[in-house]
Amino acid sequence: MSQVFIVTDSTADIPDALVEKYQIHVVPLRVVFGQETYLDGIELSPAKFYEKLGDAKVLPTTSQPSPAEFMNVYSELLNEHPGSQIVSIHLSSGMSGTYQSALLGKSMLEEEYGADITVIDSKSASYGYGLLVIHAAQLAQAGKSAAEIEAEVHKLHQDRKLYFLVDTLEYLQKGGRIGKASAILGTLLNIKPILSIDEEGVIYAVEKIRGQKKAMERIVQMFEQDFAGKRINIAVGHTANPETAEAFIALMKTRFELGEVVYPNIGAVIGSHVGFGTIAVFVWPA
């Protein structure tokens, strides 16, 4: 059976230690502050990004990798390991053109070499699909085929649940996700929107709660509806606010038996759209 390599992009927000452990190949997106462009996660760490974001007068912009960048990663792997397969998992096509770039990179190689590459639209963001990438890499190390990995990734996608809680509506408003009037009113009323991602991979508001403490409690209640009595794995991503992530984990421990616990840093690309004080909670069966 041929070896399977796992490729993803930097918006999966996978901790570096796990990238190294599972030999995952990460293609970076770009973050632009004014005239300066940085490779996400390579030239701009989450810590450095939030430092620059705090000083920025204009919000940064982001851009996807080119098809040629994906083609180069794929071709390098296949040249070094002839006959191998690649499973490439990426940020939702409902949020970015990254998935389309990966598909085009694949098509460039298939026409010439007949390369065996599976590109998957995660329909998710951040560790909402980072956990899928980790699972795929674990299966690859266990000797599973690309087809088996794809099937298991889709199954886990259905089984996991996720919610985002943003501290301020400023970044969603400036990024065009909500209207200015809604952002102003929400700020005045201390509204904390609980967000998730639908089946098409698009962000939507689940509920709007006044106050962060009540919003966190409501998220726990929603997880109880799906995972009551079950042992769960959990990841809580954050945007330079680890104390809030730790407080949420402490709250979850009062209601659930926890297995794996991960604290991903939400990187520069996702952070550009949600801003400071965000936590993103991902739960899947243990």
Side-chain angles (χ1 to χ4, degrees):
M1 184 178 293
S2 63
Q3 185 175 0
V4 180
F5 292 94
I6 306 301
V7 176
T8 190
D9 63 77
S10 59
T11 64
D13 293 335
I14 301 171
D16 290 342
L18 294 179
V19 169
E20 184 176 347
K21 179 179 180 180
Y22 294 111
Q23 300 177 14
I24 298 164
H25 301 266
V26 182
V27 181
L29 276 75
R30 288 176 171 78
V31 182
V32 182
F33 279 94
Q35 301 301 313
E36 299 177 321
T37 300
Y38 302 89
L39 292 175
D40 180 28
I42 296 175
E43 298 172 336
L44 190 63
S45 68
K48 185 64 176 177
F49 166 73
Y50 291 109
E51 181 183 321
K52 290 181 70 65
L53 184 64
D55 296 332
K57 293 180 174 59
V58 179
L59 288 185
T61 58
T62 60
S63 62
Q64 69 214 36
S66 68
E69 288 174 274
F70 282 109
M71 183 192 72
N72 290 339
V73 171
Y74 298 153
S75 62
E76 185 175 325
L77 286 171
L78 295 172
N79 285 332
E80 290 181 4
H81 308 274
S84 294
Q85 299 175 302
I86 293 172
V87 174
S88 198
I89 309 172
H90 298 288
L91 176 62
S92 170
S93 61
M95 302 180 197
S96 167
T98 302
Y99 167 69
Q100 291 297 330
S101 281
L103 279 180
L104 287 170
K106 166 189 172 178
S107 67
M108 292 175 182
L109 288 178
E110 284 183 328
E111 291 171 5
E112 189 170 349
Y113 300 108
D116 189 349
I117 303 169
T118 301
V119 180
I120 299 174
D121 181 353
S122 73
K123 305 284 188 179
S124 194
S126 189
Y127 207 71
Y129 81 95
L131 67 92
L132 303 180
V133 175
I134 293 294
H135 187 52
Q138 291 170 334
L139 293 170
Q141 288 190 353
K144 300 296 183 180
S145 68
E148 290 171 322
I149 291 170
E150 182 178 15
E152 287 296 318
V153 164
H154 286 304
K155 181 180 184 302
L156 182 56
H157 179 275
Q158 295 300 316
D159 291 341
R160 66 101 177 93
K161 301 291 182 182
L162 65 92
Y163 297 103
F164 296 81
L165 179 61
V166 298
D167 186 56
T168 173
L169 298 169
E170 174 189 1
Y171 296 89
L172 289 169
Q173 185 266 315
K174 288 183 177 178
R177 299 291 182 182
I178 61 172
K180 188 172 184 179
S182 295
I184 293 172
L185 182 62
T187 300
L188 290 173
L189 296 176
N190 193 27
I191 297 295
K192 304 299 181 185
I194 298 172
L195 309 173
S196 191
I197 300 175
D198 65 21
E199 288 300 312
E200 297 305 312
V202 176
I203 295 172
Y204 72 101
V206 179
E207 290 185 19
K208 298 175 182 178
I209 308 290
R210 290 188 68 175
Q212 187 177 60
K213 188 174 181 181
K214 288 182 180 178
M216 289 171 65
E217 175 61 34
R218 179 60 184 136
I219 291 174
V220 174
Q221 291 173 0
M222 290 190 286
F223 282 134
E224 286 183 312
Q225 294 171 7
D226 292 305
F227 298 102
K230 298 178 181 177
R231 188 168 183 266
I232 59 170
N233 298 318
I234 184 169
V236 182
H238 60 89
T239 58
N241 53 318
E243 65 287 340
T244 305
E246 289 167 2
F248 192 88
I249 290 290
L251 183 59
M252 288 290 283
K253 284 181 178 177
T254 67
R255 313 289 181 85
F256 293 95
E257 180 186 354
L258 302 185
E260 182 181 357
V261 177
V262 184
Y263 290 94
N265 288 306
I266 295 176
V269 173
I270 303 299
S272 294
H273 298 285
V274 297
F276 293 102
T278 297
I279 62 168
V281 188
F282 315 97
V283 170
W284 64 105

